[in-house]
Amino acid sequence: AQAYWTASLAITHRQSAYLRQCQTHLEDFLAQTQAHSGSHHTDNHEDLVGEVEPEIDIVTAAEHLRYAASSLAKITGKGEGGDVEDVLGVVFEK
């Protein structure tokens, strides 16, 4: 009976590790995108008026999402490759 519970706990531990990885990648994505969206640079040139919004590195942001989705796919067994690419395709369309 002990071997059954040990195997069960190992699966739970692995899933927990993948969830922590997913959370870390999502937090990295949010930190990168929120840091840029909340900060504006005021242009000091007299001939230009207004604020200039800094560019977000969409490639790095997409990689954070890709790694988060990959971590979830390792738990569910779904989404390895095709589904992740579909999601990123929608992200890059906009």
Side-chain angles (χ1 to χ4, degrees):
Q2 175 119 8
Y4 173 77
W5 290 109
T6 303
S8 176
L9 290 175
I11 291 171
T12 303
H13 182 273
R14 184 177 68 226
Q15 290 172 340
S16 177
Y18 288 138
L19 285 174
R20 281 193 303 273
Q21 288 177 359
C22 179
Q23 180 180 10
T24 299
H25 291 301
L26 290 174
E27 287 171 350
D28 290 344
F29 169 79
L30 289 174
Q32 180 181 6
T33 56
Q34 289 175 353
H36 289 295
S37 66
S39 64
H40 294 283
H41 169 72
T42 303
D43 198 316
N44 292 324
H45 296 324
E46 291 179 16
D47 57 337
L48 299 175
V49 179
E51 297 180 346
V52 177
E53 190 170 323
E55 291 288 324
I56 295 174
D57 183 359
I58 60 172
V59 173
T60 304
E63 284 300 311
H64 290 305
L65 292 178
R66 182 188 314 272
Y67 291 138
S70 177
S71 296
L72 286 179
K74 290 176 183 175
I75 296 170
T76 63
K78 297 180 180 180
E80 288 286 340
D83 292 342
V84 174
E85 294 301 322
D86 292 341
V87 169
L88 291 176
V90 170
V91 169
F92 283 115
E93 280 179 3
K94 297 184 178 198

